[in-house]
Amino acid sequence: MTKNKVSKNTVSIPEEMVEKCLVNGIFHINTLLFLTDNQDRAEKYKIAQPEIDLSFLSRELQIRVIQYVGQYANIPTTFYTSHIQRIVKLLSCLPVTAYKDNISMIHALYETTTDSYFSGTQNAFLAFIIQKDSEKIVSDEDFINYTIQTGLIVPYIAGKITGNEIIAKGFHLTANKKRYGCFMRTDLWGPEIRKIFAITLLHDVRKNRCTIATFRNHYRHINEYADFFSEKARNDPEEMFKELPSLSQCNIKKTYTDNIFDAVFYTLLEVHKEKYGLMETDVWLFSWFDPSRARLNLDLQTKQFNFREIPNAHNKALIKKYCLALIEMSDRTFTTIIEIIGKLINLSKNFSQDFEKFTSKDAEEYLQSISITYQRKRNDDPIALNNYLMLYIDTDLRFFEWMETYKMIQFNPFALAKSQISHKKKPLRKTNITPYLIQQMFENLPALKDRRYILCFLVVFESGMRISEACQLRKKD
């Protein structure tokens, strides 16, 4: 019953009222009680400690302490006296460095281990200081700077400045009883990495990507993840970017890492691209190119072009330029472009030198290695093998044609290889579906109320196209 009464009767103490209660660094509690319409209590009950010396605190901390004590001015006197005594003893437990300013006090409050008797007051006072600081944070830049300075991620502030009321309410610092879950520590990471975490959180909150429970689970483990990174990676985004791919080998709960570090990975990409440019970034997100819906396969889990596996830096730059040309100057789907990149990566792994030195003999040897690999994995059907080789030849032929067009090479090394391989097509195979099943499907088609479904079925059935291909059909097709 008492807890409910406390939460309902808290009062807000403006700074003008604080000035009247504070004289030469001495906090006069009776004055505060009079000013908060508690004159009867001030006269009737004798507060055990009517004056508190706060002269050792900075001015802004004096204001915060008085506001914190004053918000509970309406609770019963016995509890109020105990509450004042706890905050005074808590301050005496903190190091002298904590008395300098709000940021120093925040660091001291979450770093200093106190008796369990003070732990509730410790968390509540920390939440109160952050809550008051949040009133001055009105932009993304303010939020990022606050995260860097304090080493704390505060979802409530992110929700407030992005207009996400669900997150702001769910992580409210003074209304939420589980205050320890309302701010997450990142002090084991350097300032640049804290900035990355802050940008990621803002993006997640703005896009409404996670529930309150997911946020709490993901972000509260950030300090624990620091053990899986080197000292450099904790302070340098570039080093962290390099170490992220091996994170899956770490012994961390996968449900947490999948979301938080996927999101961090995308933020690192954005930062890297902004700093060094597109051509110096080895992973390109689809969203950077504003693709039309027709070029995207919504069932595709991969949302990026990845050039990391290309060993030769010069060849990597060429493949990136070719990829950019396909994106900007053709209407190929992004799925097709990913397949093209995959084949060119395979070519670059088999040829360590620059592509300008690639010859017809190299093309023959490359196709021979592909043939051997294919026959090991599948079968010796010559028609199937030829068709498989033609997929690689067509991709590589077009790539070297592009190089030839821009005067990078004088002769296309795959031109001769294509002429030597006959592209025989397999005879069309009849469907494996029994006539009975086909008859049942067509007999039940008229039962569909929406005729569009019937049309979709007939198009797919007659053409043999995949579902994903059918979904990308346009009127002009």
Side-chain angles (χ1 to χ4, degrees):
M1 296 295 291
T2 306
K3 287 185 178 180
N4 291 335
K5 191 172 182 180
V6 171
S7 62
K8 290 180 180 178
N9 291 283
T10 54
V11 292
S12 178
I13 308 298
E15 291 192 16
E16 302 79 39
M17 189 181 294
V18 171
E19 298 294 339
K20 297 177 182 178
C21 305
L22 190 63
V23 180
N24 296 326
I26 304 298
F27 170 32
H28 297 271
I29 298 175
N30 281 339
T31 304
L32 179 64
L33 291 173
F34 275 110
L35 293 174
T36 53
D37 295 326
N38 286 282
Q39 293 92 337
D40 294 340
R41 287 179 53 205
E43 294 172 357
K44 186 176 180 180
Y45 299 104
K46 183 180 179 182
I47 300 296
Q49 196 170 355
E51 296 178 353
I52 303 176
D53 184 4
L54 301 179
S55 58
F56 58 93
L57 296 175
S58 67
R59 185 66 176 175
E60 65 175 337
L61 282 174
Q62 289 175 351
I63 293 171
R64 292 290 176 262
V65 170
I66 294 173
Q67 287 178 327
Y68 175 70
V69 171
Q71 70 175 336
Y72 300 111
N74 290 343
I75 68 175
T77 306
T78 307
F79 295 106
Y80 191 57
T81 303
S82 174
H83 187 68
I84 293 170
Q85 290 173 342
R86 279 200 299 271
I87 189 65
V88 171
K89 289 183 179 180
L90 172 65
L91 292 173
S92 67
C93 294
L94 300 178
V96 178
T97 54
Y99 307 147
K100 188 170 57 174
D101 51 37
N102 276 10
I103 302 298
S104 303
M105 179 61 75
I106 287 172
H107 282 290
L109 284 169
Y110 69 67
E111 288 176 356
T112 304
T113 303
T114 57
D115 189 274
S116 58
Y117 178 71
F118 301 115
S119 61
T121 303
Q122 189 172 358
N123 280 326
F125 187 43
L126 174 56
F128 181 80
I129 292 177
I130 298 171
Q131 167 74 14
K132 286 297 180 182
D133 287 347
S134 70
E135 296 172 4
K136 301 175 184 178
I137 301 173
V138 294
S139 67
D140 289 10
E141 187 178 353
D142 292 341
F143 177 77
I144 292 168
N145 289 334
Y146 191 73
T147 301
I148 293 172
Q149 290 175 350
T150 61
L152 292 176
I153 283 182
V154 189
Y156 162 73
I157 302 177
K160 188 191 72 164
I161 63 179
T162 58
N164 190 325
E165 294 182 4
I166 296 175
I167 295 298
K169 186 177 180 181
F171 285 96
H172 198 283
L173 292 156
T174 55
N176 196 318
K177 293 179 182 178
K178 295 183 179 179
R179 294 183 181 90
Y180 60 83
C182 292
F183 39 84
M184 297 78 175
R185 293 175 58 175
T186 62
D187 50 296
L188 294 182
W189 302 87
E192 289 298 317
I193 305 300
R194 292 180 197 173
K195 179 180 178 180
I196 296 296
F197 288 139
I199 293 171
T200 303
L201 177 65
L202 285 170
H203 183 267
D204 283 350
V205 173
R206 192 167 270 119
K207 296 290 184 180
N208 203 19
R209 288 181 54 188
C210 298
T211 63
I212 293 171
T214 308
F215 267 120
R216 186 170 285 120
N217 285 334
H218 289 176
Y219 283 90
R220 76 177 178 185
H221 292 275
I222 284 178
N223 259 2
E224 296 176 26
Y225 299 149
D227 293 337
F228 296 97
F229 290 86
S230 66
E231 188 67 29
K232 283 186 176 180
R234 295 182 200 176
N235 294 277
D236 184 3
E238 293 298 318
E239 292 296 324
M240 186 185 190
F241 185 77
K242 293 176 184 176
E243 294 186 19
L244 270 177
S246 61
L247 191 68
S248 58
Q249 301 170 6
C250 300
N251 185 23
I252 310 178
K253 291 183 179 178
K254 194 166 178 57
T255 52
Y256 294 160
T257 58
D258 278 351
N259 285 291
I260 178 63
F261 281 109
D262 279 352
V264 168
F265 179 71
Y266 292 138
T267 304
L268 287 168
L269 283 176
E270 295 282 358
V271 171
H272 190 279
K273 181 172 81 81
E274 186 177 339
K275 186 175 181 180
Y276 297 103
L278 180 67
M279 299 309 291
E280 295 298 321
T281 306
D282 286 347
V283 181
W284 296 357
L285 301 180
F286 288 179
S287 57
W288 293 351
F289 305 99
D290 193 22
S292 63
R293 189 179 180 84
R295 299 183 74 182
L296 292 174
N297 182 351
L298 301 179
D299 295 330
L300 189 68
Q301 291 185 346
T302 303
K303 304 295 181 186
Q304 60 197 31
F305 302 112
N306 196 332
F307 306 96
R308 279 182 160 184
E309 296 181 28
I310 304 172
N312 185 304
H314 177 73
N315 294 342
K316 182 187 292 187
L318 285 177
I319 293 174
K320 284 180 182 178
K321 289 178 182 178
Y322 182 61
C323 178
L324 190 60
L326 292 175
I327 294 170
E328 296 179 344
M329 302 172 66
S330 75
D331 60 352
R332 291 174 182 251
T333 65
F334 281 19
T335 307
T336 303
I337 295 174
I338 287 176
E339 292 174 357
I340 291 171
I341 293 171
K343 290 181 173 65
L344 293 175
I345 288 174
N346 191 56
L347 175 64
S348 68
K349 288 180 177 178
N350 282 271
F351 187 74
S352 58
Q353 300 180 57
D354 296 349
F355 283 148
E356 285 86 349
K357 299 177 181 179
F358 198 81
T359 64
S360 297
K361 185 178 179 181
D362 293 323
E364 289 179 16
E365 293 176 355
Y366 172 59
L367 293 174
Q368 185 66 27
S369 68
I370 292 176
S371 301
I372 295 171
T373 304
Y374 180 84
Q375 289 170 345
R376 285 175 183 169
K377 291 183 178 178
R378 304 194 183 184
N379 53 52
D380 297 328
D381 184 355
I383 297 177
L385 175 60
N386 279 356
N387 291 343
Y388 183 75
L389 289 175
M390 285 304 298
L391 292 175
Y392 277 87
I393 291 173
D394 286 342
T395 297
D396 299 332
L397 184 71
R398 290 191 178 94
F399 172 67
F400 282 100
E401 279 177 356
W402 172 79
M403 291 182 65
E404 194 176 8
T405 302
Y406 287 93
K407 311 295 183 185
M408 300 179 197
I409 56 175
Q410 294 181 349
F411 176 76
N412 192 330
F414 279 92
L416 183 61
K418 184 172 183 179
S419 64
Q420 292 176 344
I421 295 180
S422 57
H423 192 182
K424 298 179 182 179
K425 293 186 177 180
K426 275 189 172 183
L428 291 176
R429 185 180 63 182
K430 291 185 178 181
T431 177
N432 289 330
I433 303 175
T434 62
Y436 171 75
L437 287 176
I438 295 175
Q439 182 183 351
Q440 289 294 309
M441 285 191 288
F442 278 93
E443 285 180 357
N444 285 282
L445 276 179
L448 292 172
K449 294 181 180 180
D450 194 334
R451 297 297 174 185
R452 291 177 299 175
Y453 293 143
I454 299 176
L455 180 61
C456 289
F457 170 78
L458 292 175
V459 169
V460 173
F461 182 83
E462 293 294 335
S463 64
M465 68 175 66
R466 300 182 181 92
I467 296 296
S468 60
E469 293 169 339
C471 290
Q472 294 181 43
L473 284 175
R474 296 164 290 183
K475 288 183 179 180
K476 66 179 183 179
D477 296 329

